Amino acid sequence: MGTDGDQVDPGGEDRTPEKEHASERPVVTKHGAVVSRRAALGMMVGGAAVGVVGAKVGFSSSSGGDLSGTATEMGLDGPAAQAALKTYVPGGEYDEYFMMSSGGHSGQVMVYGVPSMRLLKVIPVFTPESWQGYGFGTDQGNIVLEEGSDPAKSNPLRWGDTHHPALSETEGSYDGRYLYINDRANGRIAMVDLRDFKTKQIFDVPNLQTSHGGCFITPNSEYVHISTMSPTPNTPSGYAPLSRYKEDFRGFSTWLAIDQNTGRFIMDESFQIELPPYTQDLADAGKLTSFGFGFINSYNTEMATGGNMNMDGSMDPAQSLEATATKNDYDFMHIIDWQKAEEIFKAGSGLKTINGMTVIPLDMAANEGILHFAPEPRNPHGVDVNPTGDYICVGGKLDPNASVYSIERIKDAIAKQDYQGTDDYGVPILTLESVLEAQVELGAGPLHTQFDNEGNAYTSLFVDSAVAKWSLGPKAGKSDADSWKLLEKLPVQYNIGHLVTAEGDTVEPDGRYLVALNKWSIDRFPPVGTLHPQNFQLVDLTTPQMEILADMPVGNGEPHYVQMIHRDKLKNVIQVYEPGTDPMNFTTSPYATAAGEERIERKGKDLHVYMTAMRSHYTPDVVEAQQGDVLNLHITNIEQTPDATHGFAIPQYNIEASIDPGEVVNIAVPLNRAGTFAMYCSEFCSALHLEMQGWLQVAPQ
Amino acid sequence: MGTDGDQVDPGGEDRTPEKEHASERPVVTKHGAVVSRRAALGMMVGGAAVGVVGAKVGFSSSSGGDLSGTATEMGLDGPAAQAALKTYVPGGEYDEYFMMSSGGHSGQVMVYGVPSMRLLKVIPVFTPESWQGYGFGTDQGNIVLEEGSDPAKSNPLRWGDTHHPALSETEGSYDGRYLYINDRANGRIAMVDLRDFKTKQIFDVPNLQTSHGGCFITPNSEYVHISTMSPTPNTPSGYAPLSRYKEDFRGFSTWLAIDQNTGRFIMDESFQIELPPYTQDLADAGKLTSFGFGFINSYNTEMATGGNMNMDGSMDPAQSLEATATKNDYDFMHIIDWQKAEEIFKAGSGLKTINGMTVIPLDMAANEGILHFAPEPRNPHGVDVNPTGDYICVGGKLDPNASVYSIERIKDAIAKQDYQGTDDYGVPILTLESVLEAQVELGAGPLHTQFDNEGNAYTSLFVDSAVAKWSLGPKAGKSDADSWKLLEKLPVQYNIGHLVTAEGDTVEPDGRYLVALNKWSIDRFPPVGTLHPQNFQLVDLTTPQMEILADMPVGNGEPHYVQMIHRDKLKNVIQVYEPGTDPMNFTTSPYATAAGEERIERKGKDLHVYMTAMRSHYTPDVVEAQQGDVLNLHITNIEQTPDATHGFAIPQYNIEASIDPGEVVNIAVPLNRAGTFAMYCSEFCSALHLEMQGWLQVAPQ
């Protein structure tokens, strides 16, 4: 490679004489200098011409100067030029990793390629999205969104705040089957099927109004976990005065069993564990040596409720949560023995049912050894289990240290009942001395930790705007002398929240790339108004020192956590459905219609249209109806060519479908408005795409 | 630049001994070869180490080999390595151009940087978007979406199909003030203010059910134009049988006057011109020599209405529009003299008012010389005016030629009444011979044409999957010998729709970059399910031959047209609002609240909360209300730091706001559900972001 090209002409300054006649209007170069147009073009063209004439150019030493010349002309210094080459993925070649990113309050999931950092797709999850017709009339989006919005509620939910994706696992490694993600705003969880990258289920988890401690998945996808963020009143109305916070409010840790064939939740095999009304934060699953355990951070063990202004207008600024919920030096890491909980759940006695969910009561969880607490530096954010499962790393947010607990010590302390007492709810608190393995001072605002394949940890430092690389201990393969050391700090731009390493949540990380998920971009990108993008920074972990390879603006959501999976593990992705597929379950739809079988059937007010779509027409292309009818469209895309997606839109009716090759969509439209409507294909499909149009005739009543 | 760095160590193979202990698990390189893990890391690390140790590296001839080595290790051949360097924009440096992209049926506008092709922002326009709180409770989104949805309609519109952006112009050049875009699905137009990159107005244009022929803007932003796509029955009910197509259906060309201070539409200075019921397609404004004219393509002058299956089930495939609407050899380019139309409109006699819009009737338009037709090869798509205004280039879609009309000939033919007759509606048809300047055979499926600064045109060829570069004629600066020649064809991947050149719609294009907006990507990106991304390809126009520099997947919408503006022209962008700003009009909001002025006022069932937000609390942070109240939140972000945006979310209530520094948002929430709701900041703002939470208490009735 790279040595079989044509011979290179080392010159080039005069190869493009027609460009020399360009006008003299000044132009601004990439790095801001104003030069004459001719000079700029000369620079560009001269440089570009070197080394690119002919289809393929070798990198012999005699031609090595080509790239340097171009780099200089583009204003790239050495590291920048190296970064350019390390992140560029030519068209038709594929990124090595996929990054599955939460979209924050966009409610969606974003899929990026690494190292190019290109956004490959946005998967609509909790918020309707019209490009994919999700929530604009078709059954897939409508069913998922409706099922995910408890019908007893007076406000059907139409947005979410996605935070923490969890890829399904087999033996502690990503297996590329399913992706789960929580809705921090409304206490819900969704499942995306990685065969077609579509959301198949949203579940409004009972007893969780909001959720932060999810998702994590157990090492063989036995359960996906989601827990409360703010506790919720455990009262029939869902209301309680804040004066009753300690008595009436509770949190819940939810263990949803997964159907291995569909990825869906099996409700009668799922359970919750009642928790005290602290604010449960991030969570992680044990693995290998800590298999069977789950860990949840908490803050506001002060059980403060705010109140910085009274309803009579008097001010009390000291009552803001930022002050009152940060008083205790230590909060509690929740240590959950989910195998023990599963036993108790299956035994079935002493359990409660709350809003349809089987619950292990708090006193039972405390008494049966399901739930223990360990002190952790105040107001922690991340709790992250290293690849061997031995170390649980806590980012102390208001403490400069990473605090590392060992599962060996935890098990030992539990066995010895090495308690400093219990909390107000009777949950035993292990002594800090018995469980803490190490503390490593990292800097200001440690939040979240990821891992490589060499026993190192990487922790985001929000306040420092940096990534700290530090060494774990002997159980992660480090010598005693090399253990528990801060190795390096890399400044990032700016204010990093989470971070991710390649396959960093698995038992076998790849140790190749790290992405810093920065919350602020400020001046890193050209101004795009008063709302700035976030900034993903790709970091090379294979260089002697960590190096930033690229900044990627995120201007369509606010990622919190992401996971990075190797491309080869996504081996189930399909690009074309079997003919007549119902995408909700990959079976043949009862409404599938083949060419020649198209028909219109009237059943009273219900008009059923069995329609096909192919380049470049619908059959039928004219539908005659009466105002007051309900139009039931069953549309089959009868193409089998990859990428031959058709749209289907009805103006003025909020109907917009995206129908992939082989797919069947069903759309029910109450025809409450008379008129003549030019229904059309909204996805540019062919040279005669604009002619792919029909008429919906709704005669007035 | 580039020569002041540290001395480079030419070695590097052994610089990172700790990496040599990595496990031997096989890994797959970027270009697909399976190698041992050690070898792969050695490759990566060895190469990377060269030239990147030390902060800055020179490009002396002795170090020129560094980049070649990295390129080889990354599997990049010469052109790919050049492309990498030409497209990489380091963090903190800015892309030279902004691309304002339609988002198709996503309903939004996407903003990209060129040459990095990075997505900088998605601007919500026609479809609610929760990240920016657009349509999830706050007044900006709600007002815009409501105003843009005719309240008489039974289905409030909540999506759109954005097609053709138009940047405001001064003297024929982009001025960076406003962006207009049409909703092809529902016949609407929106205005985005480029001070804060937010949508400020949606207008549901009367008499347009759907729209394709827009937007274009006149050279001094006198008018923005939007015309019908499918004609609509001009009947009170909006319904007419298809048998009455010729009699009852009509199209409309709309000229919306622009308020130069606000960018909004001035309705009493705006007018429509009635058109025959052909399908009006793309449109463009005359400039310089053709100033005062507008051009609209049309197809389906056959006035076919489809009907490939009858309601009784009998099939008639030959009736599909793709067959019946492609019969005529020629359709009609609409030539509109908008200055003459403006005179007639201002004179005021003989006009009609239809659905509130002043309309110049079709017969008047024909008789007064406002509307002429010119024959154009059947089923054209693009009609594009070159920078000098002399040539109008039509892409014939079902014809291999670009057909070029000259404004000089058109004016002359109109003056001489060189007519071949009239159409069925009395509109005079100029003879083809009198107006056609040239035809240039390009290939299969020519669609849309853009221009550089040297008299060349670039036309997308959908069927050929190629960009054709060809020369215009003498009025564009070409010698007679060099005129009207196909110069080059560049294959693109795949099936290009529109294309854009840098500032290509202005009187002064930059001739530097071209972007091919490809509809199909097929195998260009790793599989992401049954719906494939589109593919933006960046093309270098400064090299002797056109070269593709980058592929960028578009996985969140389907761009149709885009415009590319130089960064320096976006000089009005603000990053922080003045304190207490109402973003709808940039004035101080009557609800602006300063620190210390927070208050709660009850007026019957209306509870008004004047709240402030700053890191890391709301004041007040507890609101006590009763079920049945209406909560009126007036929230001021009292920060003045760029990027210090706060969110505001209420769980279970579909309330999600994004509040930029200085901004005031108003949210009205009917409290129909009792409960205790943990309202919170949804935008990660500070180390104590998670503590930025309060309680909305809704006591049961």
Side-chain angles (χ1 to χ4, degrees):
Chain A
M1 167 140 333
T3 57
D4 56 352
D6 299 330
Q7 190 59 38
V8 178
D9 177 347
E13 288 299 324
D14 299 317
R15 294 185 69 89
T16 54
E18 75 278 13
K19 294 284 181 188
E20 297 296 312
H21 302 297
S23 80
E24 281 293 324
R25 186 161 72 95
V27 297
V28 178
T29 67
K30 179 192 284 285
H31 43 288
V34 178
V35 297
S36 80
R37 187 161 196 80
R38 176 181 296 176
L41 283 168
M43 249 171 58
M44 287 294 300
V45 175
V50 180
V52 294
V53 178
K56 205 160 186 177
V57 176
F59 288 114
S60 68
S61 59
S62 68
S63 67
D66 307 337
L67 298 180
S68 299
T70 301
T72 302
E73 286 149 16
M74 296 304 294
L76 302 177
D77 63 14
Q82 290 283 347
L85 297 171
K86 289 183 182 180
T87 56
Y88 184 79
V89 177
E93 297 188 21
Y94 295 165
D95 277 298
E96 188 165 355
Y97 292 93
F98 281 74
M99 209 161 51
M100 303 297 189
S101 174
S102 71
H105 35 308
S106 80
Q108 319 298 40
V109 164
M110 282 114 77
V111 182
Y112 287 85
V114 175
S116 78
M117 301 301 286
R118 293 176 298 183
L119 177 64
L120 294 166
K121 195 172 218 174
V122 174
I123 304 172
V125 181
F126 291 108
T127 307
E129 192 275 295
S130 53
W131 174 51
Q132 299 182 50
Y134 186 79
F136 288 87
T138 62
D139 44 5
Q140 182 230 347
N142 284 7
I143 288 172
V144 171
L145 289 166
E146 288 300 325
E147 284 183 350
S149 190
D150 178 348
K153 289 176 182 167
S154 47
N155 302 296
L157 299 176
R158 285 298 177 272
W159 78 287
D161 187 358
T162 56
H163 267 237
H164 309 123
L167 287 157
S168 59
E169 295 183 9
T170 300
E171 296 184 359
S173 285
Y174 303 142
D175 57 24
R177 296 183 296 151
Y178 310 112
L179 178 76
Y180 299 88
I181 196 154
N182 68 321
D183 170 11
R184 179 255 182 273
N186 302 298
R188 297 182 295 170
I189 184 168
M191 184 271 287
V192 176
D193 196 312
L194 294 178
R195 282 174 286 187
D196 59 0
F197 280 60
K198 292 183 183 174
T199 303
K200 298 299 164 74
Q201 187 177 16
I202 297 176
F203 180 54
D204 192 350
V205 186
N207 310 316
L208 268 57
Q209 185 193 81
T210 64
S211 160
H212 208 253
C215 308
F216 71 67
I217 211 156
T218 56
N220 289 297
S221 304
E222 295 92 345
Y223 295 99
V224 59
H225 174 269
I226 177 169
S227 50
T228 328
M229 186 163 191
S230 306
T232 310
N234 191 2
T235 61
S237 68
Y239 170 84
L242 295 175
S243 58
R244 298 275 307 168
Y245 194 86
K246 291 184 185 178
E247 297 81 4
D248 289 348
F249 287 54
R250 289 293 180 273
F252 292 91
S253 162
T254 313
W255 299 78
L256 296 170
I258 297 175
D259 183 322
Q260 299 302 313
N261 294 318
T262 65
R264 287 180 161 78
F265 312 115
I266 310 173
M267 290 318 301
D268 59 7
E269 297 179 17
S270 301
F271 59 89
Q272 284 183 327
I273 301 165
E274 186 182 16
L275 301 176
Y278 311 140
T279 301
Q280 280 82 26
D281 194 11
L282 284 168
D284 200 3
K287 62 187 78 151
L288 297 176
T289 54
S290 51
F291 179 85
F293 286 86
F295 307 93
I296 314 173
N297 274 346
S298 71
Y299 64 96
N300 196 15
T301 51
E302 298 86 351
M303 295 183 275
T305 59
N308 59 12
M309 197 186 109
N310 301 307
M311 292 296 286
D312 66 6
S314 58
M315 296 285 189
D316 197 355
Q319 289 303 313
S320 282
L321 276 188
E322 63 180 316
T324 52
T326 56
K327 284 185 177 166
N328 292 351
D329 285 338
Y330 291 95
D331 290 298
F332 299 135
M333 178 166 71
H334 296 31
I335 302 163
I336 293 177
D337 184 334
W338 63 261
Q339 291 179 306
K340 195 165 281 183
E342 188 182 58
E343 281 172 28
I344 299 277
F345 165 64
K346 288 184 176 166
S349 74
L351 307 176
K352 293 194 281 190
T353 300
I354 308 177
N355 295 314
M357 177 65 83
T358 304
V359 176
I360 299 174
L362 178 51
D363 55 355
M364 193 173 184
N367 296 336
E368 297 285 346
I370 293 171
L371 177 64
H372 288 86
F373 288 155
E376 54 184 0
R378 61 180 177 168
N379 293 58
H381 194 52
V383 54
D384 302 291
V385 180
N386 84 313
T388 66
D390 292 290
Y391 300 126
I392 301 100
C393 306
V394 171
K397 200 161 97 181
L398 297 181
D399 180 283
N401 295 296
S403 298
V404 183
Y405 302 78
S406 89
I407 191 64
E408 187 177 26
R409 286 175 180 271
I410 289 171
K411 286 178 179 172
D412 201 42
I414 289 174
K416 291 179 183 162
Q417 302 198 343
D418 199 350
Y419 301 152
Q420 68 179 54
T422 69
D423 78 338
D424 293 349
Y425 300 90
V427 181
I429 306 168
L430 301 168
T431 63
L432 183 61
E433 301 72 41
S434 69
V435 293
L436 188 69
E437 178 83 16
Q439 285 193 312
V440 183
E441 186 169 336
L442 303 178
L447 292 184
H448 176 243
T449 300
Q450 282 273 281
F451 307 95
D452 67 14
N453 54 339
E454 296 178 339
N456 300 308
Y458 302 83
T459 299
S460 54
L461 303 176
F462 182 88
V463 178
D464 272 359
S465 276
V467 172
K469 177 179 179 179
W470 51 286
S471 58
L472 295 168
K475 290 183 191 298
K478 293 292 189 189
S479 69
D480 284 344
D482 287 340
S483 293
W484 313 123
K485 287 192 162 50
L486 173 63
L487 302 173
E488 188 189 349
K489 280 169 79 169
L490 175 74
V492 293
Q493 289 76 33
Y494 301 94
N495 295 92
I496 180 173
H498 282 257
L499 43 63
V500 64
T501 57
E503 307 228 326
D505 281 316
T506 73
V507 296
E508 201 175 34
D510 282 0
R512 185 154 175 184
Y513 295 113
L514 178 149
V515 175
L517 311 177
N518 303 307
K519 295 300 178 179
W520 289 37
S521 64
I522 308 180
D523 56 359
R524 298 293 283 185
F525 307 115
V528 287
T530 50
L531 177 63
H532 297 233
Q534 336 294 325
N535 185 13
F536 275 179
Q537 284 181 306
L538 177 66
V539 176
D540 192 341
L541 295 186
T542 66
T543 42
Q545 303 284 309
M546 292 186 284
E547 289 179 5
I548 292 175
L549 294 178
D551 284 40
M552 178 55 72
V554 179
N556 61 330
E558 190 205 349
H560 293 274
Y561 186 47
V562 309
Q563 289 190 326
M564 201 191 305
I565 179 174
H566 195 279
R567 183 185 75 217
D568 291 348
K569 291 190 176 169
L570 286 162
K571 55 188 179 298
N572 302 322
V573 184
I574 58 176
Q575 297 187 58
V576 180
Y577 292 115
E578 294 293 316
T581 294
D582 174 358
M584 285 298 286
N585 51 25
F586 295 95
T587 57
T588 302
S589 167
Y591 302 102
T593 306
E597 294 179 354
E598 300 90 347
R599 61 199 184 279
I600 299 176
E601 296 173 358
R602 178 175 282 283
K603 297 176 183 171
K605 288 283 187 188
D606 275 311
L607 198 63
H608 287 266
V609 179
Y610 296 81
M611 183 184 284
T612 59
M614 70 171 297
R615 284 163 284 175
S616 302
H617 58 272
Y618 302 105
T619 305
D621 61 0
V622 175
V623 174
E624 305 270 2
Q626 294 289 318
Q627 191 175 3
D629 285 347
V630 175
L631 176 63
N632 298 276
L633 288 160
H634 313 291
I635 311 176
T636 303
N637 181 338
I638 58 175
E639 311 257 8
Q640 282 283 292
T641 305
D643 216 346
T645 295
H646 290 292
F648 182 86
I650 306 178
Q652 314 295 334
Y653 260 107
N654 281 316
I655 299 299
E656 160 56 23
S658 176
I659 320 167
D660 293 333
E663 182 176 2
V664 179
V665 301
N666 301 294
I667 308 171
V669 195
L671 298 177
N672 51 9
R673 183 176 177 209
T676 291
F677 302 98
M679 57 195 194
Y680 72 99
C681 177
S682 50
E683 178 89 19
F684 202 130
C685 57
S686 71
L688 289 173
H689 156 72
L690 287 177
E691 284 75 6
M692 191 163 175
Q693 190 223 287
W695 292 99
L696 169 62
Q697 292 284 77
V698 184
Q701 275 176 325
Chain B
M1 166 140 332
T3 56
D4 55 351
D6 299 333
Q7 190 59 36
V8 177
D9 177 347
E13 288 300 325
D14 297 312
R15 293 187 70 90
T16 54
E18 76 280 10
K19 296 280 182 189
E20 297 297 314
H21 301 296
S23 79
E24 280 294 324
R25 184 160 73 96
V27 298
V28 178
T29 67
K30 179 191 286 282
H31 43 288
V34 176
V35 296
S36 79
R37 185 164 196 77
R38 179 181 295 178
L41 282 169
M43 250 169 59
M44 285 294 301
V45 174
V50 180
V52 294
V53 178
K56 206 159 184 178
V57 176
F59 288 113
S60 68
S61 58
S62 67
S63 66
D66 307 337
L67 299 180
S68 299
T70 301
T72 302
E73 286 149 17
M74 296 304 295
L76 302 177
D77 64 13
Q82 290 282 346
L85 297 171
K86 289 181 181 180
T87 56
Y88 183 81
V89 176
E93 296 188 21
Y94 296 166
D95 277 299
E96 188 164 355
Y97 292 93
F98 280 73
M99 209 162 50
M100 302 298 188
S101 173
S102 71
H105 35 310
S106 78
Q108 319 298 40
V109 164
M110 281 114 78
V111 182
Y112 287 86
V114 175
S116 77
M117 301 301 286
R118 293 177 297 183
L119 177 64
L120 294 167
K121 196 172 216 173
V122 175
I123 304 172
V125 181
F126 292 108
T127 307
E129 193 275 294
S130 53
W131 175 50
Q132 298 181 51
Y134 187 78
F136 288 87
T138 61
D139 44 5
Q140 183 230 346
N142 284 6
I143 288 173
V144 171
L145 289 166
E146 289 299 325
E147 284 183 350
S149 189
D150 178 346
K153 288 176 183 165
S154 48
N155 300 298
L157 299 175
R158 285 297 177 272
W159 78 286
D161 187 358
T162 56
H163 268 237
H164 309 123
L167 286 156
S168 58
E169 295 183 8
T170 300
E171 295 183 0
S173 285
Y174 303 143
D175 56 25
R177 294 183 298 151
Y178 309 112
L179 179 75
Y180 299 88
I181 194 153
N182 68 321
D183 170 11
R184 179 254 182 271
N186 301 298
R188 297 182 295 170
I189 184 169
M191 183 272 287
V192 175
D193 196 311
L194 295 177
R195 282 173 287 186
D196 58 0
F197 281 59
K198 292 184 184 174
T199 303
K200 298 300 165 73
Q201 187 177 17
I202 298 176
F203 180 54
D204 192 351
V205 186
N207 309 316
L208 267 58
Q209 185 193 80
T210 63
S211 160
H212 208 253
C215 310
F216 71 65
I217 211 155
T218 55
N220 290 297
S221 303
E222 296 92 345
Y223 295 99
V224 58
H225 174 270
I226 177 169
S227 51
T228 327
M229 184 164 194
S230 307
T232 310
N234 191 1
T235 60
S237 69
Y239 169 85
L242 294 175
S243 59
R244 298 275 306 168
Y245 194 86
K246 290 184 187 180
E247 297 81 3
D248 289 347
F249 287 55
R250 289 293 180 273
F252 292 91
S253 162
T254 312
W255 298 78
L256 297 171
I258 296 174
D259 182 323
Q260 300 301 314
N261 293 318
T262 66
R264 287 179 160 79
F265 311 116
I266 309 172
M267 290 319 300
D268 60 4
E269 297 179 16
S270 301
F271 59 91
Q272 284 182 326
I273 301 164
E274 187 181 16
L275 301 175
Y278 311 139
T279 301
Q280 281 82 26
D281 194 10
L282 285 167
D284 201 3
K287 60 186 79 151
L288 297 176
T289 55
S290 51
F291 180 85
F293 286 87
F295 307 94
I296 314 174
N297 272 347
S298 71
Y299 66 95
N300 196 15
T301 51
E302 298 87 351
M303 294 182 277
T305 59
N308 58 11
M309 196 186 112
N310 300 307
M311 290 298 285
D312 67 6
S314 58
M315 296 283 189
D316 199 354
Q319 287 305 310
S320 282
L321 277 189
E322 62 179 316
T324 52
T326 55
K327 285 184 176 167
N328 292 351
D329 285 338
Y330 291 96
D331 291 298
F332 299 134
M333 177 167 71
H334 296 31
I335 302 163
I336 293 178
D337 184 334
W338 63 260
Q339 291 179 304
K340 195 165 281 183
E342 187 182 60
E343 280 170 30
I344 299 278
F345 164 66
K346 288 183 175 168
S349 74
L351 307 177
K352 292 194 282 191
T353 300
I354 308 178
N355 295 314
M357 178 65 84
T358 304
V359 176
I360 298 173
L362 178 51
D363 55 355
M364 194 173 184
N367 296 335
E368 297 285 347
I370 292 170
L371 177 65
H372 287 86
F373 288 156
E376 54 184 357
R378 61 179 176 167
N379 294 56
H381 194 52
V383 54
D384 302 291
V385 181
N386 85 314
T388 67
D390 292 290
Y391 300 126
I392 301 101
C393 306
V394 171
K397 199 161 96 181
L398 297 181
D399 181 283
N401 296 296
S403 298
V404 183
Y405 302 78
S406 88
I407 191 64
E408 187 177 26
R409 285 175 180 270
I410 288 171
K411 286 178 179 174
D412 200 42
I414 290 174
K416 291 178 181 161
Q417 301 199 345
D418 198 349
Y419 301 152
Q420 67 179 54
T422 70
D423 77 340
D424 291 350
Y425 300 90
V427 181
I429 305 169
L430 302 167
T431 65
L432 183 59
E433 302 70 42
S434 69
V435 293
L436 189 68
E437 178 82 16
Q439 284 192 314
V440 184
E441 186 169 335
L442 304 178
L447 292 185
H448 176 241
T449 299
Q450 282 273 281
F451 308 94
D452 67 14
N453 53 339
E454 295 178 340
N456 301 308
Y458 302 83
T459 299
S460 54
L461 303 176
F462 181 89
V463 178
D464 272 359
S465 276
V467 173
K469 177 179 179 179
W470 51 286
S471 59
L472 296 168
K475 290 184 192 297
K478 293 290 188 190
S479 69
D480 284 344
D482 287 340
S483 292
W484 313 123
K485 286 191 161 51
L486 173 63
L487 302 173
E488 187 189 351
K489 280 169 79 168
L490 175 75
V492 293
Q493 289 76 32
Y494 303 92
N495 294 93
I496 179 173
H498 282 257
L499 43 63
V500 65
T501 56
E503 308 230 325
D505 281 316
T506 72
V507 296
E508 200 175 35
D510 282 2
R512 184 152 177 185
Y513 295 113
L514 177 150
V515 175
L517 311 177
N518 303 307
K519 296 299 177 180
W520 289 36
S521 64
I522 307 180
D523 56 358
R524 298 293 283 184
F525 307 114
V528 287
T530 50
L531 177 63
H532 297 233
Q534 338 293 326
N535 186 13
F536 275 179
Q537 284 182 305
L538 177 67
V539 177
D540 192 341
L541 295 185
T542 67
T543 43
Q545 303 284 310
M546 290 186 285
E547 290 178 5
I548 292 176
L549 294 178
D551 283 40
M552 178 55 70
V554 179
N556 62 330
E558 190 204 349
H560 293 274
Y561 187 47
V562 309
Q563 288 191 327
M564 201 190 305
I565 179 174
H566 195 280
R567 183 183 75 217
D568 291 348
K569 291 189 176 169
L570 286 162
K571 54 188 179 297
N572 301 323
V573 184
I574 58 175
Q575 298 188 57
V576 180
Y577 291 116
E578 293 293 315
T581 293
D582 174 357
M584 286 297 287
N585 51 26
F586 296 94
T587 56
T588 301
S589 167
Y591 301 102
T593 306
E597 293 179 356
E598 300 91 347
R599 60 199 184 277
I600 300 177
E601 295 173 358
R602 179 175 280 285
K603 296 176 183 172
K605 289 282 187 189
D606 276 312
L607 198 62
H608 287 267
V609 178
Y610 295 81
M611 184 185 282
T612 60
M614 71 171 295
R615 285 163 286 175
S616 301
H617 58 271
Y618 302 106
T619 306
D621 60 1
V622 174
V623 174
E624 306 271 2
Q626 296 288 319
Q627 192 176 3
D629 286 347
V630 176
L631 175 63
N632 297 276
L633 289 160
H634 313 293
I635 311 176
T636 303
N637 180 338
I638 57 174
E639 310 257 8
Q640 283 283 292
T641 306
D643 217 346
T645 294
H646 291 290
F648 182 86
I650 305 178
Q652 314 294 335
Y653 259 107
N654 281 317
I655 298 299
E656 161 56 25
S658 176
I659 320 166
D660 293 333
E663 183 176 2
V664 179
V665 301
N666 301 294
I667 308 171
V669 195
L671 298 178
N672 52 8
R673 184 176 177 208
T676 291
F677 302 98
M679 57 194 194
Y680 71 98
C681 177
S682 50
E683 177 89 19
F684 202 131
C685 57
S686 70
L688 289 173
H689 157 70
L690 286 177
E691 285 75 4
M692 191 164 174
Q693 190 223 286
W695 293 98
L696 169 62
Q697 292 284 77
V698 185
Q701 274 177 325

